[in-house]
């Protein structure tokens, strides 16, 4: 703390050095020592900082606290294992420089569980209209497992259609598993629904009855396999008259946006 | 996730039907799409019976041959950079020469898009589809 004045103290001259010390004594008794001493009195609780983190230098003659310093750990390390209050869904609290359960801390926000907030913020950023969230919400009109979906890529390429085998709901990481047969080989694709590269997700065909499983992995077995959904996609395109409109094909990048909007409309329907 | 003794389908018209992985080229433990492997031809295409070895009309390779190959499909999921995954129902490869040129002249079946990243453009151009 006072390394620089100590180093600059003239060693050869006794009178000047004594004067120096006298000046410093006044300084220390005013500012540093008192402040730290006050803090040291504040922490009598057993959960407080371990004592070895607090280093004090007492004066040999007067037995007064000459100088002191403490080694602080960051608040995250201080908090350690989750406290019982964090498990309950209590509102977040701002603790202004007060001890949390006997621990000294700075001005820190202690959220009960930060992850839902983070997910919500990211979803709002990636899906401002809320269309994608609505498309896979647990509502009657939303896409469900067993429906045939088509994912359009923003990077061009053929759109991938397939029967939805499962929906992995995990906040911003929510993903869907589509299965199709391409050139007689089964192909499965996972797509993140909030991915920016996914321009649009459309429902080609709804399952007649609600699937009674959450994950239709049995549809990989030859007995239950749906095979290719190319004919379904073709029929759907005919009804939508996607093939007859010429403007949409020329629009290029705008077409992708339009498809996203269509998907949004479908999700909201 | 192909390793020693893995059996793969060969999807080109080189004459091999089923091949066995004997080595993965490079410092690798497991091969994925786009990786180069060394294979042994286990089954020939068009070989009807066990003893029929005369049916080598168009077959460029025969049973027991050791060749290089490129993995084009895997049952194991392959994750892409944007978080999407692709998984096929079988493991498949295409035979190549040591120089890297395909032995067959045609590929029947879909191949993974990871080949583009691994610079197998010849195989990609021969393939009818990519996913």
């Amino acid at each position: 703390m006072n390394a620089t004045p100590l180093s600059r103290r003239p060693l050869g001259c006794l009178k000047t050095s004594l004067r120096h010390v006298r000046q410093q004594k006044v300084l220390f008794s005013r500012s540093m020592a008192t402040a730290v001493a006050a803090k040291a009195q504040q922490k009598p609780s057993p959960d407080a900082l371990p004592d070895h983190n607090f280093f004090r230098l007492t004066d040999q003659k007067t037995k007064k606290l000459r100088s002191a310093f403490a080694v602080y750990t960051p608040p995250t390390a201080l908090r350690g294992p989750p406290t019982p209050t964090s498990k309950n869904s209590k509102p977040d609290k701002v603790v202004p420089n007060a001890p949390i359960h006997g621990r000294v801390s700075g001005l820190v926000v202690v959220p009960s569980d930060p992850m839902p907030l983070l997910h919500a913020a990211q979803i709002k950023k990636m899906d401002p209209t809320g269309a994608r969230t609505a498309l896979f919400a647990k509502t009657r009109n939303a896409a469900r497992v067993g429906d045939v979906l088509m994912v359009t890529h923003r990077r061009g390429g053929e759109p991938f259609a397939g029967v939805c085998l499962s929906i992995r709901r995990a906040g911003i990481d929510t993903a869907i598993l589509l299965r199709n047969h391409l050139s007689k080989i089964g192909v499965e694709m996972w797509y993140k629904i909030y991915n920016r590269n996914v321009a649009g997700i459309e429902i080609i065909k709804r399952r007649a009855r609600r699937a009674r499983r959450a994950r239709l992995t049995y549809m990989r077995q030859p007995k239950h396999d749906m095979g290719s959904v190319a004919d379904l996609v073709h029929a759907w395109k005919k009804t939508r008259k996607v093939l007859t409109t010429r403007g949409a094909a020329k629009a290029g990048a705008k077409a992708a946006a339009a498809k996203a909007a269509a998907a949004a409309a479908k999700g909201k329907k | 996730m192909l390793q020693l003794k893995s059996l793969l389908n060969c999807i080109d018209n080189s004459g091999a039907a089923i091949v066995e992985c004997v080595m993965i080229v490079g410092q690798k433990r497991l091969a994925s799409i786009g990786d180069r492997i060394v294979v042994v031809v286990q089954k020939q295409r068009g070989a009807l019976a066990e003893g029929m070895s005369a049916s080598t009309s168009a077959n460029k390779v025969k049973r027991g041959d050791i060749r290089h190959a490129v993995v084009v499909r895997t049952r194991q999921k392959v994750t892409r950079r944007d978080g999407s995954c692709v998984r096929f129902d079988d493991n498949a490869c295409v035979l190549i020469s040591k120089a890297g040129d395909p032995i067959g002249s045609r590929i029947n079946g879909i191949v993974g898009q990871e080949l583009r990243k691994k610079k197998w453009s010849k195989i990609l151009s021969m393939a009818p589809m990519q996913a």
Side-chain angles (χ1 to χ4, degrees):
Chain A
M1 246 179 191
N2 50 358
T4 38
L6 274 177
S7 62
R8 267 193 268 118
R9 189 175 293 166
L11 292 172
C13 182
L14 187 69
K15 200 173 176 183
T16 28
S17 80
L18 275 174
R19 197 182 298 142
H20 213 116
V21 166
R22 225 176 294 133
Q23 280 173 355
Q24 280 195 341
K25 194 181 166 191
V26 176
L27 259 177
F28 276 130
S29 62
R30 275 278 161 234
S31 61
M32 307 286 234
T34 45
V36 175
K39 204 157 214 178
Q41 285 164 3
Q42 248 184 25
K43 54 170 203 91
S45 66
D47 270 11
L49 281 171
D51 206 38
H52 63 262
N53 281 353
F54 192 76
F55 300 91
R56 61 194 89 192
L57 303 170
T58 45
D59 199 338
Q60 293 282 330
K61 284 181 186 171
T62 57
K63 303 289 177 193
K64 272 186 179 176
L65 196 67
R66 206 179 110 215
S67 178
F69 66 94
V71 179
Y72 291 105
T73 44
T76 47
L78 256 180
R79 216 175 291 147
T83 49
T85 47
S86 70
K87 276 180 186 170
N88 307 335
S89 57
K90 277 185 180 175
D92 308 341
K93 48 186 178 180
V94 177
V95 188
N97 214 356
I100 317 166
H101 307 287
R103 289 178 191 140
V104 182
S105 125
L107 184 70
V108 285
V109 181
V110 189
S112 53
D113 189 7
M115 290 315 284
L117 298 174
L118 178 69
H119 279 306
Q122 282 178 325
I123 286 170
K124 198 170 182 192
K125 191 180 160 198
M126 300 304 282
D127 182 27
T129 59
R132 294 171 188 222
T133 313
L135 187 60
F136 292 99
K138 286 183 175 174
T139 55
R140 185 164 266 274
N141 295 325
R144 270 186 296 205
V145 163
D147 294 348
V148 177
L149 306 178
M150 186 167 84
V151 170
T152 316
H153 253 262
R154 190 152 283 173
R155 292 262 172 86
E158 193 87 345
F160 188 85
V163 57
C164 183
L165 294 193
S166 78
I167 301 169
R168 188 194 280 153
R169 289 196 172 86
I172 189 75
D173 285 327
T174 300
I176 52 171
L177 176 61
L178 303 182
R179 179 183 169 85
N180 192 11
H181 276 241
L182 295 172
S183 65
K184 293 176 186 172
I185 296 293
V187 182
E188 287 175 19
M189 291 285 294
W190 276 105
Y191 283 107
K192 305 273 183 196
I193 65 164
Y194 294 112
N195 187 352
R196 285 248 166 91
N197 287 343
V198 173
I201 304 168
E202 284 151 285
I203 301 174
I204 304 292
K205 189 171 182 280
R206 287 184 183 274
R207 194 182 160 105
R209 308 186 75 183
R210 180 183 68 87
R212 298 178 70 173
R213 304 276 179 281
R215 315 205 186 284
L216 311 180
T217 47
Y218 65 84
M219 290 185 86
R220 288 174 181 156
Q221 297 167 12
K223 187 183 163 189
H224 300 281
D225 207 334
M226 242 178 114
S228 178
V229 298
D231 45 347
L232 290 174
V233 173
H234 190 69
W236 175 81
K237 276 185 176 170
K238 260 191 171 175
T239 58
R240 295 278 305 228
K241 293 183 181 173
V242 170
L243 295 172
T244 55
T245 50
R246 291 200 137 194
K250 278 184 183 176
K254 279 185 183 174
K259 268 183 183 167
K266 229 169 181 12
K268 277 179 183 168
K269 222 189 282 175
Chain B
M1 232 161 91
L2 300 161
Q3 54 176 352
L4 183 71
K5 304 295 267 186
S6 297
L7 291 175
L8 301 91
N9 294 331
C10 184
I11 58 163
D12 56 8
N13 63 348
S14 61
I18 292 174
V19 297
E20 181 190 303
C21 177
V22 291
M23 201 183 89
I24 293 152
V25 178
Q27 300 284 323
K28 278 176 165 286
R29 195 173 271 259
L30 296 164
S32 183
I33 297 178
D35 287 343
R36 193 173 175 152
I37 57 176
V38 183
V39 297
V40 174
V41 178
Q42 295 286 21
K43 217 180 225 178
Q44 262 174 270
R45 213 172 278 278
L48 299 170
E50 184 85 5
M52 279 188 77
S53 58
S55 67
T56 53
S57 54
N59 288 2
K60 289 174 186 163
V61 296
K62 59 179 195 293
R63 195 173 152 272
D65 274 7
I66 297 172
R67 298 290 175 138
H68 283 229
V70 177
V71 181
V72 294
R73 292 199 296 251
T74 54
R75 278 187 71 89
Q76 174 76 13
K77 285 189 287 193
V78 180
T79 312
R80 303 212 165 130
R81 270 182 60 82
D82 64 347
S84 59
C85 275
V86 64
R87 173 190 174 277
F88 298 95
D89 272 6
D90 69 339
N91 297 316
C93 70
V94 171
L95 297 193
I96 55 169
S97 66
K98 278 189 179 164
D101 305 317
I103 290 173
S105 58
R106 195 166 296 159
I107 294 175
N108 349 298
I110 192 162
V111 299
Q113 216 157 38
E114 279 72 16
L115 295 177
R116 188 180 303 179
K117 213 174 78 181
K118 301 269 177 81
K119 307 252 169 72
W120 295 106
S121 51
K122 272 185 189 170
I123 292 170
L124 271 174
S125 62
M126 281 161 68
M129 272 176 123
Q130 39 182 289

